[in-house]
Structure formats: C-alpha cells, structure tokens
C-alpha cells in the first residue's frame, strides 16, 4: 500500500527541510479559523484534512462515495486515503511549511503518516473547547456541511474523545503539544497562538537548544531516533525521556527500553560493533541522567540524507530481485548529514544498527524473518588525506584552547562561588583525544559518553564532524561487498 502511494504520489526531495505543524481540536473548536489567521501572519500552507476529503468525496468514484458515507456518519476515513491526499497536496503546493489541520485523528493515522510522509511535526497546536460550545458553534456554522447535524456532531465528538485524544496525549508525552484555550474569542485565541508561533520563530533564529530542529541535523537526527524508528522492531521499543534534557545543560537524555531492559550501549560486543547491550553494560550517565548521552549516535552522523535515501532505494530494489547498481559518485560521496533510518515501505524492516570502528554505520535490513539479507555499510575511507590530517590537528589545537578556556572559566566561576560541572572539561579533553584518534567517530562516541557540553554538542561540533570525518558508502549483499 505505501509503496503504491510513494510511487504514484512521489516524495519530497531528499534533504529538503520541511516544517509541519499539526492542528488538532474537537469538531468546531476553531481549528480552521485559527489556521486562516496563522496563514496570514506566518505564511504557512494550510491543508485541512476534512477539506481534502470533502473535495475527494465529490469525485464520482467508488472511493468518493465511500468517503462521503464515512464522513456523513462522523467516522474516520481509512488512513491510507487521507495520508495519500495529504502527501499529494503537500507536493503539489511546492511549499515547505505546512499547517495540517484536523490530522492525525487517530493512532492509525499517525502511524500511516510516519510510515509514508514521516516528517516530524515541529509541534502540535491543540485547540481546547468544551463540548457544549462546540455543538453551538457547529450548528451556527452554516457552511451547508452534510455532517453538521446534531447526530453526526455528537458522533464526531465521541470519535474525537476516543480516537484523537490518545494522539494528543502521544504528542504531549513527547513534549510537542501546545495547548490554547479555544473557548475564548477568535482574536483572543489567536493572541495565544501567536505566542506559540513567535516562540518557534525566535528559537529557530536564535538557534536555541530547544528548537534547533529547524536547521540542526543533529537535532533532526535525534528526533528521528527518538521517534518510532528506534525501535519498532519486534517487541522492543526505545523511549526517550526528554524531561531529562536540561536546557543549557548537558545534552543527555535517558533512554529506557521498556519491555526488555536493554539499551544502546557504548560497550563493545561481537565483531567490535557497538550494539544493543543489557542494561548492566551501559556506560555513562549518572543519577537522574542515567542512560546514554546522544554521543553514541554521533558515530552515525556520517551519512547523507540523499545518499541514504538512494541507498534505501537500492536496497529495496535488491531485496525485490532487482540489480544493485550503485552509481560511482554515491560510492565515494562524502557523508554530510545524519542517518535517516526509516524502514522503506514494503516488507523491508530495519532490524539492527551497529557501529563499528571501521564503519560509520551499518544497517542490517531483513526481509520477513530472515536476517541480514542485505547490508548497507557506510564506511570510513581507509587512510587519511594530508588535508584531513591537518584539519584534525587544527581542531585538536582548537579544542586544547577550549580546555584552557574551560579551566579559566571554571576558576572564574569558582571565584564567584558557582558550581561548575567537571564534565565540560572531561568533554573537551575527550574531544581532543577524538580529534587525534584515527577512528574519530567511534572514539568520540565511546569516550564522551557522559555527555559533552551543549556548546560542543550542537552546531559547532557538527561542523567539526563534517570537516574531520570522511566516509564512503558501500553496499554489501549477503555479506558480499557489491561495490
Ligand atoms: N474562538 C471562537 N469563538 C467563537 N466562534 C468561533 C471561534 N472560533 C471559530 N468560531 C466559529 O465556530 C465555527 C467552527 O469553527 P471552525 O474554524 O470551522 O472549526 P473547526 O475547523 O475546528 O471545525 C465557525 O462558524 C467559526 O466562525
Ligand atoms: O484525518 C481525517 C480528517 C477528517 N476526517 C473526516 O472528515 C470529517 C470532517 O473533518 P473536519 O476536520 O473538516 O471537521 P471538524 O470535524 O473538525 O469540524 C471528520 O468527521 C471525519 O469523518 C477523517 O476521516 N480523517
């Protein structure tokens, strides 16, 4: 199903930054009203899931009739239909900022969106309004809508409570929910909405730690990993507790693997790969911050989004019996963006991600129950070019300076009686060692697992990683390197 969707509808150019905001709320809560105002003020492209379906229901097709009937009953249209319509509308608009109104309406919608479109929403605007007010507004709406009658309104409200509220809670747990009181006047509600959107813009401009998502691939990477991709495989699921990400503090978050007490560890396992280990082998993290910093994943940085998407295509082709034809430029492409690790539609499943010293990332993809049908390895180049060596030393020197500065600031702050975390110093020292070590990424991952200072973890470090790491992409099918 998803395959067909992708093939017929298309997809966004790899690597393009797309901003999505979901707008949720009961029927008649004023989602459409607020969206119109947001579009005026902030220039988003507004896509109302309900409007898209109403438009589709007008078509004289079997699907059109089906949608019409479902909407008349106040029930929810199957997810593949609405997600496909959304993707089509998004692509046709040519925009890169979307306000998606009235979607996702249930968990199935959300999962279908994540499988097919998979653009993490910036946040979810939730317009709250009491039931009586909703009824009153809809009955006064006078848009001639087939479903604006008291019976359907009540059913829509029940659906909202039973199916949509769990989605709202999902985003709340992930710190993505922004509530506004929709019972106020439309203008008063918009004042609150403006506060939320302005905060998003300011943070993006300021490049603050919280919403670095805009331009920071590290954050995007983190979001991807924190999302569903790690790990829907089998019964395991990694949950990232963002409440532990301290603003301005170390960029550490605890990761709990719910069903099995395992997590990604920096400990070495078989084949010198970093892999999922039992909890007791976990390294790094203390007290409330028990768990991993995100540094272990730094090793996985070194994959371009475009390269990876192309890789995924190739893997899909290989798995489905096609030839695995890797273009030369891809095989030697420098890796500049984080790994984008979502299972491709169809029967491909990402089962495991390992990080080995010689490989920036290795992705095992299995078909059905079989394992390791196709392996994508993203390898560091053998040997370092003189230019790369020079850059590494230059950065080591830079970090040494940082260490000195850290020490200075430490002394200064001590003078003022402030408490200063020693892990900053440790982080900087670790970073210097990493710069000098040949297997940079992996070393960085293992030695700095206690979390580097935020300043080192974000944009500057990313740039550094890009400058001093270099990787190539190669493919292996059933253990045999193809290219
Ligand atoms: N804050 C508000 N106060 C009073 N009426 C409102 C408010 N927001 C919207 N409305 C009215 O309520 C009705 C439903 O609003 P609409 O934006 O269509 O809701 P939704 O898109 O959530 O179904 C419309 O007639 C609209 O004019
Ligand atoms: O993702 C969606 C969005 C809407 N709908 C259908 O479209 C109707 C109207 O939705 P809309 O958002 O236009 O109106 P609201 O109910 O919020 O007033 C709903 O009752 C559902 O039947 C759906 O099935 N899936």
């Amino acid at each position: 199903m998803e395959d067909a969707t992708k093939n017929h509808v298309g997809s966004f150019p790899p690597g393009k930054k797309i901003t999505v905001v979901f707008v949720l709320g009961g029927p008649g809560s004023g989602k459409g009203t607020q969206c119109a105002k947001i579009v005026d003020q902030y220039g988003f492209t507004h896509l109302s899931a309900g409007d898209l379906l109403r438009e589709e229901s007008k078509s004289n097709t079997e699907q059109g009739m089906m949608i019409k009937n479902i909407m008349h009953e106040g029930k929810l249209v199957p997810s593949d239909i609405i997600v496909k319509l959304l993707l089509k509308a998004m692509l046709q608009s040519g925009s890169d900022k979307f306000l998606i109104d009235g979607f996702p309406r249930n968990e199935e919608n959300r999962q279908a969106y994540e499988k097919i479109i998979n653009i993490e929403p910036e946040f979810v605007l939730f317009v709250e309004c009491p039931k009586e007010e909703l009824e009153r507004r809809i009955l006064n709406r006078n848009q001639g809508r087939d479903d604006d009658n008291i019976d359907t309104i009540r059913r829509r409200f029940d659906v909202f409570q039973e199916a949509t509220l769990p989605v709202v809670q999902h985003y709340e747990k992930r710190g993505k929910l922004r509530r506004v009181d929709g019972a106020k006047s439309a203008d008063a509600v918009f004042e609150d909405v403006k506060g939320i959107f302005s905060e998003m813009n300011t943070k993006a401009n300021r490049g603050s730690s919280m919403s670095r998502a805009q331009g920071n691939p590290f954050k995007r990477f983190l979001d991807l990993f924190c999302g569903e991709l790690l790990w829907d495989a089998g019964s395991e699921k990694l949950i990232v507790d963002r409440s532990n990400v301290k603003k301005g503090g170390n960029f550490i978050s605890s990761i709990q693997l719910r069903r099995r007490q395992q997590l990604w560890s920096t400990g070495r396992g078989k084949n010198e790969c970093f892999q999922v280990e039992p909890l007791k082998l976990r390294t790094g993290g203390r007290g409330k911050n028990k768990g991993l910093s995100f540094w272990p994943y730094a090793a996985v940085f070194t994959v371009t989004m475009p390269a990876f998407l192309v890789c995924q295509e190739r893997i899909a082709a290989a798995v489905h019996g096609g030839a695995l034809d890797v273009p030369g430029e891809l095989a030697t492409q420098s890796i500049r963006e984080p790994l984008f690790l979502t299972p491709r539609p169809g029967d491909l499943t990402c089962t495991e991600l390992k990080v080995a010293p010689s490989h920036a990332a290795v992705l095992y993809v299995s078909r059905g129950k079989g394992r390791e049908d196709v392996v994508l390895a993203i390898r560091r180049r053998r040997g370092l070019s003189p230019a790369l060596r020079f850059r590494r030393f230059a950065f080591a020197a830079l970090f040494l300076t940082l260490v000195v500065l850290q020490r200075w600031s430490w002394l200064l702050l001590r003078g003022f009686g402030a408490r200063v975390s020693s892990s900053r110093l440790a982080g900087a020292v670790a970073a210097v060692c990493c710069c000098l070590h040949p297997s940079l990424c992996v070393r960085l991952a293992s030695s700095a697992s206690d979390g580097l200072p935020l300043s080192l973890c974000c944009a500057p470090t990313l740039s550094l990683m890009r400058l001093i790491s270099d990787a190539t992409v190669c493919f292996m099918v059933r253990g045999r390197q193809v290219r």
Side-chain angles (χ1 to χ4, degrees):
M1 174 269 287
E2 295 103 343
D3 243 342
T5 308
K6 269 246 150 92
N7 291 344
H8 293 135
V9 182
S11 52
F12 285 101
K16 185 174 175 188
K17 165 78 185 137
I18 308 286
T19 305
V20 167
V21 171
F22 289 145
V23 184
L24 291 177
S29 54
K31 300 183 293 293
T33 308
Q34 293 306 318
C35 284
K37 290 173 185 283
I38 296 165
V39 169
D40 275 353
Q41 182 106 12
Y42 299 100
F44 276 74
T45 295
H46 174 212
L47 297 175
S48 155
D51 287 351
L52 290 173
L53 288 170
R54 269 184 287 280
E55 198 52 41
E56 186 67 15
S57 73
K58 288 183 197 155
S59 69
N60 218 357
T61 59
E62 208 176 300
Q63 177 165 295
M65 291 300 293
M66 179 184 84
I67 294 175
K68 201 174 161 88
N69 290 337
I70 295 177
M71 289 177 82
H72 180 71
E73 288 174 29
K75 294 183 183 161
L76 297 178
V77 170
S79 299
D80 60 324
I81 297 182
I82 180 60
V83 174
K84 194 164 140 185
L85 289 173
L86 274 174
L87 181 60
K88 194 169 150 198
M90 287 168 92
L91 292 171
Q92 277 175 356
S93 71
S95 170
D96 58 0
K97 275 167 80 183
F98 299 98
L99 206 51
I100 301 186
D101 160 12
F103 180 93
R105 272 194 144 78
N106 61 8
E107 280 294 308
E108 192 203 64
N109 274 183
R110 184 179 67 74
Q111 282 162 15
Y113 171 89
E114 282 170 11
K115 269 207 179 105
I116 297 172
I117 303 182
N118 197 26
I119 299 168
E120 178 79 10
E122 207 68 31
F123 59 84
V124 178
L125 182 66
F126 180 44
V127 188
E128 286 181 291
C129 197
K131 187 179 175 184
E132 300 69 37
E133 176 67 8
L134 298 181
E135 273 182 19
R136 199 182 57 73
R137 285 187 192 174
I138 297 181
L139 292 173
N140 288 335
R141 177 152 63 180
N142 279 334
Q143 282 178 352
R145 266 173 59 172
D146 190 34
D147 56 351
D148 278 357
N149 61 71
I150 192 70
D151 285 344
T152 314
I153 294 170
R154 292 203 171 138
R155 243 170 284 141
R156 278 156 62 197
F157 190 76
D158 290 345
V159 169
F160 168 71
Q161 286 204 304
E162 280 161 28
T164 315
L165 283 184
V167 178
V168 170
Q169 281 155 8
H170 167 89
Y171 286 114
E172 182 155 44
K173 272 191 215 137
R174 302 189 62 191
K176 292 254 165 186
L177 200 70
R178 308 284 180 274
R179 292 170 187 270
V180 286
D181 177 4
K184 299 195 227 171
S185 74
D187 286 341
V189 179
F190 189 57
E191 284 307 308
D192 297 343
V193 169
K194 275 200 290 195
I196 293 166
F197 276 80
S198 310
E199 188 196 13
M200 173 182 103
N201 285 346
T202 331
K203 282 194 170 135
N205 292 341
R206 232 194 295 140
S208 85
S209 61
M210 203 177 118
S211 200
R212 222 172 266 273
Q214 288 281 337
N216 182 355
F218 183 79
K219 178 69 167 52
R220 233 157 70 215
F221 171 73
L222 186 147
D223 274 341
L224 285 168
F225 263 88
C226 295
E228 304 310 313
L229 68 97
L230 267 194
W231 219 234
D232 263 337
S235 59
E236 299 169 355
K237 194 156 189 166
L238 278 174
I239 309 287
V240 173
D241 177 9
R242 292 206 175 203
S243 57
N244 275 347
V245 179
K246 285 188 251 155
K247 265 194 218 167
N250 284 346
F251 208 178
I252 295 180
S253 176
S254 69
I255 301 176
Q256 302 140 12
L257 189 54
R258 266 209 185 134
R259 302 224 178 125
R260 293 186 203 164
Q261 288 281 286
Q262 289 181 328
L263 51 72
W264 281 78
S265 156
T266 51
R268 284 187 179 206
K270 262 197 292 181
N271 309 325
E272 293 209 316
C273 290
F274 292 140
Q275 57 191 340
V276 180
E277 298 276 10
L279 194 66
K280 59 185 165 61
L281 291 184
R282 170 182 47 79
T283 59
R286 284 186 304 266
K288 247 185 103 185
N289 285 331
K290 254 189 194 161
L292 289 182
S293 77
F294 284 94
W295 276 102
Y297 306 135
V300 194
F301 260 140
T302 48
V303 188
T304 41
M305 190 83 77
F308 195 77
L309 289 180
V310 180
C311 296
Q312 285 182 314
E313 300 280 353
R314 309 284 169 194
I315 291 172
V319 168
H320 291 104
L324 198 65
D325 171 28
V326 187
E329 73 272 12
L330 181 66
T332 53
Q333 194 168 345
S334 274
I335 307 287
R336 302 218 167 264
E337 284 214 48
L339 183 62
F340 187 67
L341 229 194
T342 46
R344 285 287 300 178
D347 56 1
L348 279 177
T349 331
C350 296
T351 54
E352 219 170 312
L353 177 84
K354 292 182 176 181
V355 182
S358 58
H359 296 62
V362 183
L363 166 70
Y364 291 88
V365 184
S366 81
R367 190 168 33 169
K369 282 186 188 160
R371 250 200 73 179
E372 300 186 5
D373 267 345
V374 178
V375 177
L376 163 69
I378 292 112
R379 273 203 178 159
R380 290 203 34 238
R381 267 191 203 136
R382 275 202 209 121
L384 295 176
S385 66
L388 208 55
R389 259 177 223 279
F390 173 77
R391 275 190 229 153
R392 283 183 174 223
F393 277 105
F395 274 101
L398 181 77
F399 272 120
L400 271 170
T401 319
L402 268 178
V403 172
V404 173
L405 288 178
Q406 289 275 314
R407 206 175 162 77
W408 251 40
S409 55
W410 178 76
L411 286 173
L412 276 174
L413 286 167
R414 267 275 291 254
F416 289 107
R419 273 187 70 222
V420 185
S421 155
S422 64
S423 66
R424 286 177 180 245
L425 193 63
V429 173
V432 176
C433 303
C434 298
C435 284
L436 298 173
H437 198 280
S439 53
L440 166 92
C441 300
V442 174
R443 289 288 145 183
L444 197 53
S446 59
S447 51
S449 64
D450 201 11
L452 288 169
L454 190 69
S455 53
L456 287 181
C457 280
C458 295
T461 316
L462 248 191
S463 316
L464 165 77
M465 296 285 289
R466 286 176 186 160
L467 273 167
I468 57 178
S469 70
D470 207 347
T472 55
V473 179
C474 75
F475 289 87
M476 287 190 282
V477 178
R478 295 186 186 89
R480 186 169 55 84
Q481 185 170 333
V482 171
R483 198 144 177 163

